Amino acid sequence: MKKFLTFSCMAILIASLSSCRKKTEPETPFNWVVDRFDDIKVLKYQVPGFDTLILNEKLLIYYLNQAALCGRDIFFDQNGKYNLRIRRTLETIYLHYTGDRQTEEFRQFEKYLKKVWFANGIHHHYSNDKFQPEFSESYFDQLIAGTPEEFFPKDFPSVSEVVATIKPVMFDPTLYPKRANQADGVDMIATSANHYYDGVTQAEVEAYYKQRTDPNDPRPISYGLNSQLTKRNGRIVERTWKIGGMYSAAIEKIVYWLEKAAEVATQPQQKKTIEALIDYYRTGDLHTFDEYSILWVQDTTSKVDFINGFIETYGDPLGYRASWEAMVNFKDEEATRRTETISAEAQWFEDHSPIDSIYRKKQVKGVSAKVITTAMLGGDCFPATPIGINLPNADWIRKDYGSKSVTIQNITHAYNEAAKGNGFDEEFILRKEDRELKKKFGSLGDDLHTDLHECLGHGSGQLAPGVQSDALKNYGSTLEEARADLFALYYLGDPKLVELGLVPSFDVAKAEYATYILNGLMTQLTRIQPGKDVEEAHMRNRKLIAEWCYEKGNGQVIEKVVKNGKTYFVVNDYQQLRSLFGDLLREIQRIKSEGDYEAGRALVETYGVKVDPTLHAEVLERYAKLNLEPYSGFVNPIYKPVMENGQIIDVMLEYTDDYAGQMLEYSKEYSFLPSVN
Ligand code: ZN
């Protein structure tokens, strides 16, 4: 599971950064923002501490980085069957169009391409909605006509044929309007544009898995995780993503670099882990994936770590198939002490959780937690990036072997640096004392929220016997995120945190509560277009929690204040709010443990989906005046091997300010799949 940036993080200054980070920052001012277009701001992140790693660690990072970049096309194709054809057509025009580039229409074209790169396809990375080109179809024809045919990909049957195919996909708003459709009561598979399924209906998919899954299997494999489900001659077939299967050309390259990484792995456990991953990519066997996941979760001592594979299922409305993602990182030793303190107390937190005692874990196992510095992002982690990750996702592995949690500090740091002084707090936070509390403790509260969410929240609690982990279906992700958030919020205000020396006082919780509620009720609406519902799981979860607490507190605990025509939400009773968090955590844990789909559905649909149009319009208007982009993502650093006598003797780290340049380079160097898959 991933934790994404809550809106609040953007405006928070990191006050508590470790001193070691400051030493490694360059002397000259660092340019954090490298590009802006539409609703997006592209940043760059620093990799402090890379220079202090030993050669083998640098080599390991270098090889894993290469593996992290080789699956980019897979993710594009998973997001839609026409995405690679569209991207390659747009890139060919961008590089070779001979006509006038100084026109408004060309700028609109360039903006569209930048959005396609950012979203890894033609649907918005966060809202799932297809974005409409601002240029016309006839201008597109002009661009095609002005680009010499020889430059288009060699595997296009003909340019005119491909253009005829992709034009309606790009321009017709009624075609493929959503990448993943989670709307209640529709065929979520047939109406989703993603390429996880092709030509099958939701009913067929559900019947297919009903036949194959055994509700009494205590250790079920992750059915459907690494395949496309489609039809051949009227029969449903799985096309497995492995060497020799679907996406083979890209997976072969990933394996090539993983083999090199295995050779320089610094610990035997890590070498075994990488070899198991290679074996899984070769066979596509999901039992091997479980073996790999167990090895991976047990490797807690390696300095360098990585994620590489088909991991998260947010993109599949039914939660079977996983997007390809990659991240390479190394441990931030100093900041990790904070999360180790929390993890060491995992059992205490579990035993005191406000949930029904029968759903508490008797023994919380192996909750490992660390703060990391990311070195490379790929696939579903790029350019939009999570700030915390907790894996593996298989419930039984989490129960028997624990899970590994990370907080990605250099990403959070970059967000905060880029957001300094943007006027957001002055606009949306009514009381001066709240703004000051946020300035003082917001960053610590936010870091701790992430730590608690990832280290303990997801790993806490247990299912009742016989309940399937997918029982909550399309509401599963939202409710799971709500459960982890509530766990974090509840404990952020616990005196235990003061006792452990993690916070000076309850003020840290106050800062976080105020920001969380404001975000859930109001400011996150800046990410939603007028008239649309809230769709994304993390956003639904925040809305659900904030709206539920507002209602249960009778407008007293959380109060709506209108001043000078502007709406604000203020928290009047923080202790009472904390106890409401506890109540809702108890109920959501019950829903998960019992697989109570109807109750889960009612909670999400009542509190997490529908937007008040008047408030929405007001928030958008106030936000627009600040001239800020609601979404951010990143370019990666560049790693250059230093060669001597055919050997790599060092790896140099550089930063780039060229978003389009990096995207074009990745498309040139790391594009291995055919245009049609
Ligand atoms: Zn999460």
Side-chain angles (χ1 to χ4, degrees):
M1 273 149 258
K2 287 180 186 172
K3 182 174 188 285
F4 291 91
L5 182 72
T6 56
F7 197 75
S8 58
C9 309
M10 287 194 182
I12 291 171
L13 315 180
I14 279 217
S16 64
L17 275 174
S18 55
S19 55
C20 71
R21 188 181 307 284
K22 293 206 181 79
K23 268 180 260 161
T24 52
E25 271 174 24
E27 306 271 312
T28 47
F30 191 80
N31 176 35
W32 294 97
V33 182
V34 303
D35 209 345
R36 325 177 90 113
F37 47 89
D38 205 53
D39 56 356
I40 285 163
K41 181 165 75 220
V42 182
L43 314 177
K44 66 183 193 277
Y45 60 90
Q46 297 180 331
V47 190
F50 181 78
D51 295 340
T52 65
L53 299 175
I54 59 169
L55 179 59
N56 250 28
E57 291 165 347
K58 286 183 181 175
L59 282 176
L60 181 57
I61 288 176
Y62 178 72
Y63 294 139
L64 290 169
N65 285 350
Q66 295 293 325
L69 294 172
C70 289
R72 179 167 171 258
D73 280 1
I74 296 176
F75 187 48
F76 265 89
D77 192 73
Q78 288 179 317
N79 283 337
K81 71 193 280 189
Y82 303 101
N83 279 342
L84 286 174
R85 272 168 279 184
I86 291 170
R87 189 191 83 202
R88 287 170 184 172
T89 301
L90 300 176
E91 286 171 346
T92 307
I93 294 168
Y94 192 64
L95 288 169
H96 302 289
Y97 178 57
T98 55
D100 187 359
R101 290 166 175 259
Q102 305 307 321
T103 66
E104 182 57 25
E105 281 168 314
F106 193 83
R107 269 189 290 278
Q108 290 165 341
F109 164 78
E110 184 181 33
K111 180 170 156 189
Y112 181 74
L113 174 56
K114 285 184 174 181
K115 287 165 73 175
V116 169
W117 280 327
F118 194 89
N120 293 276
I122 59 170
H123 297 85
H124 193 277
H125 74 287
Y126 211 82
S127 75
N128 270 316
D129 294 324
K130 187 166 85 177
F131 32 78
Q132 279 303 113
E134 289 166 34
F135 53 94
S136 65
E137 267 189 80
S138 61
Y139 181 68
F140 189 59
D141 291 335
Q142 191 186 316
L143 290 170
I144 296 287
T147 308
E149 189 142 355
E150 65 195 272
F151 294 115
F152 284 90
K154 299 289 170 275
D155 70 350
F156 279 14
S158 75
V159 177
S160 56
E161 198 181 315
V162 171
V163 169
T165 306
I166 64 174
K167 251 170 65 173
V169 179
M170 288 168 59
F171 288 95
D172 181 349
T174 64
L175 258 188
Y176 307 106
K178 285 206 161 296
R179 188 181 60 207
N181 193 356
Q182 313 237 32
D184 202 20
V186 302
D187 184 324
M188 293 186 284
I189 298 305
T191 61
S192 291
N194 67 51
H195 204 205
Y196 294 119
Y197 301 92
D198 200 11
V200 293
T201 65
Q202 183 177 344
E204 286 171 328
V205 177
E206 283 170 351
Y208 183 87
Y209 285 106
K210 198 163 182 205
Q211 221 173 60
R212 276 158 185 78
T213 49
D214 169 9
N216 298 314
D217 184 353
R219 299 183 158 198
I221 55 167
S222 302
Y223 288 95
L225 193 73
N226 65 336
S227 68
Q228 185 198 55
L229 206 63
T230 183
K231 273 187 187 162
R232 290 280 184 273
N233 304 320
R235 279 191 51 232
I236 292 184
V237 292
E238 279 187 72
R239 297 173 71 203
T240 304
W241 304 326
K242 61 173 186 173
I243 290 186
M246 193 175 178
Y247 301 145
S248 184
I251 295 173
E252 285 163 40
K253 297 288 178 183
I254 295 167
V255 164
Y256 170 86
W257 290 110
L258 288 177
E259 282 174 336
K260 288 196 174 294
E263 282 170 29
V264 294
T266 48
Q267 308 232 17
Q269 173 80 14
Q270 186 156 49
K271 188 168 156 59
K272 266 168 65 185
T273 306
I274 298 172
E275 284 166 353
L277 179 59
I278 292 170
D279 194 20
Y280 161 63
Y281 273 136
R282 288 217 168 94
T283 60
D285 186 339
L286 287 168
H287 291 101
T288 310
F289 178 66
D290 286 344
E291 283 161 30
Y292 154 74
S293 299
I294 291 165
L295 286 166
W296 179 83
V297 82
Q298 290 176 328
D299 177 18
T300 54
T301 54
S302 297
K303 172 101 178 169
V304 176
D305 205 353
F306 69 98
I307 294 164
N308 187 304
F310 304 103
I311 309 290
E312 304 286 358
T313 58
Y314 298 112
D316 175 358
L318 293 182
Y320 289 109
R321 318 201 119 68
S323 57
W324 189 87
E325 69 173 44
M327 171 177 287
V328 184
N329 62 74
F330 57 94
K331 200 191 268 187
D332 178 337
E333 306 281 354
E334 202 173 305
T336 293
R337 261 172 242 139
R338 188 183 71 219
T339 53
E340 280 172 352
T341 306
I342 290 171
S343 288
E345 298 288 335
Q347 193 65 53
W348 185 92
F349 285 104
E350 185 73 8
D351 294 345
H352 293 79
S353 175
I355 61 174
D356 191 325
S357 62
I358 55 172
Y359 300 133
R360 287 186 196 134
K361 276 202 180 100
K362 300 296 159 271
Q363 262 191 317
V364 186
K365 279 185 199 165
V367 182
S368 91
K370 58 184 176 180
V371 179
I372 58 164
T373 302
T374 190
M376 185 61 76
L377 306 162
D380 202 0
C381 292
F382 176 79
T385 308
I387 53 168
I389 297 181
N390 179 307
L391 292 172
N393 284 332
D395 275 318
W396 69 266
I397 299 180
R398 300 168 72 83
K399 188 157 169 275
D400 293 352
Y401 297 92
S403 62
K404 208 148 70 172
S405 269
V406 298
T407 304
I408 310 162
Q409 190 121 329
N410 60 329
I411 294 295
T412 315
H413 179 58
Y415 278 130
N416 291 325
E417 287 296 320
K420 277 186 178 172
N422 65 13
F424 181 87
D425 289 357
E426 288 68 23
E427 178 59 39
F428 289 105
I429 302 178
L430 177 65
R431 297 186 299 215
K432 187 157 176 272
E433 64 263 35
D434 287 343
R435 288 197 293 271
E436 273 164 13
L437 217 49
K438 183 176 169 185
K439 227 171 234 156
K440 202 163 166 197
F441 294 122
S443 143
L444 178 59
D446 226 49
D447 283 347
L448 277 167
H449 178 110
T450 304
D451 295 341
L452 288 162
H453 175 113
E454 298 293 343
C455 306
L456 304 178
H458 281 305
S460 76
Q462 61 182 358
L463 300 180
V467 172
Q468 291 295 290
S469 58
D470 62 354
L472 301 174
K473 295 190 208 172
N474 49 319
Y475 299 107
S477 296
T478 298
L479 291 165
E480 178 55 24
E481 293 310 322
R483 200 174 68 86
D485 261 1
L486 286 163
F487 191 97
L489 290 165
Y490 178 80
Y491 276 119
L492 203 56
D494 198 288
K496 183 79 176 174
L497 262 60
V498 181
E499 195 186 297
L500 291 171
L502 292 166
V503 299
S505 69
F506 188 64
D507 280 354
V508 178
K510 284 184 178 176
E512 181 66 13
Y513 288 5
T515 315
Y516 191 94
I517 293 297
L518 176 68
N519 184 42
L521 286 173
M522 202 162 88
T523 50
Q524 72 167 353
L525 295 177
T526 55
R527 296 173 159 214
I528 306 286
Q529 285 179 11
K532 302 271 184 198
D533 289 343
V534 179
E535 303 267 352
E536 198 275 335
H538 296 78
M539 287 183 73
R540 282 187 167 186
N541 128 50
R542 289 177 214 131
K543 185 168 181 330
L544 189 171
I545 291 173
E547 297 275 4
W548 189 92
C549 291
Y550 177 68
E551 186 187 291
K552 301 296 166 192
N554 298 318
Q556 306 287 314
V557 177
I558 301 164
E559 189 187 348
K560 181 178 176 177
V561 180
V562 180
K563 203 175 165 187
N564 301 330
K566 291 180 178 181
T567 307
Y568 300 89
F569 287 94
V570 294
V571 179
N572 290 325
D573 188 337
Y574 287 99
Q575 287 296 353
Q576 196 50 40
L577 179 57
R578 178 174 181 244
S579 107
L580 287 171
F581 289 147
D583 293 346
L584 186 55
L585 174 58
R586 186 181 173 91
E587 171 60 3
I588 290 183
Q589 181 63 55
R590 183 199 68 74
I591 289 170
K592 175 169 178 166
S593 293
E594 296 172 7
D596 188 345
Y597 175 82
E598 274 311 317
R601 175 176 172 273
L603 261 188
V604 178
E605 292 290 342
T606 308
Y607 300 101
V609 180
K610 292 289 171 210
V611 179
D612 169 1
T614 317
L615 179 64
H616 191 190
E618 181 198 320
V619 170
L620 289 178
E621 197 196 319
R622 287 164 66 186
Y623 187 72
K625 286 188 185 143
L626 296 174
N627 232 342
L628 303 174
E629 297 84 359
Y631 301 99
S632 301
F634 291 89
V635 289
N636 278 315
I638 299 163
Y639 296 83
K640 289 192 172 157
V642 181
M643 306 295 290
E644 200 177 281
N645 303 324
Q647 298 273 322
I648 302 178
I649 55 156
D650 200 1
V651 179
M652 303 306 286
L653 168 69
E654 290 174 13
Y655 298 105
T656 179
D657 285 333
D658 186 0
Y659 167 69
Q662 179 156 86
M663 291 295 169
L664 288 168
E665 197 219 320
Y666 285 179
S667 295
K668 183 164 168 261
E669 302 296 332
Y670 301 99
S671 193
F672 306 111
L673 293 184
S675 297
V676 180
N677 288 280

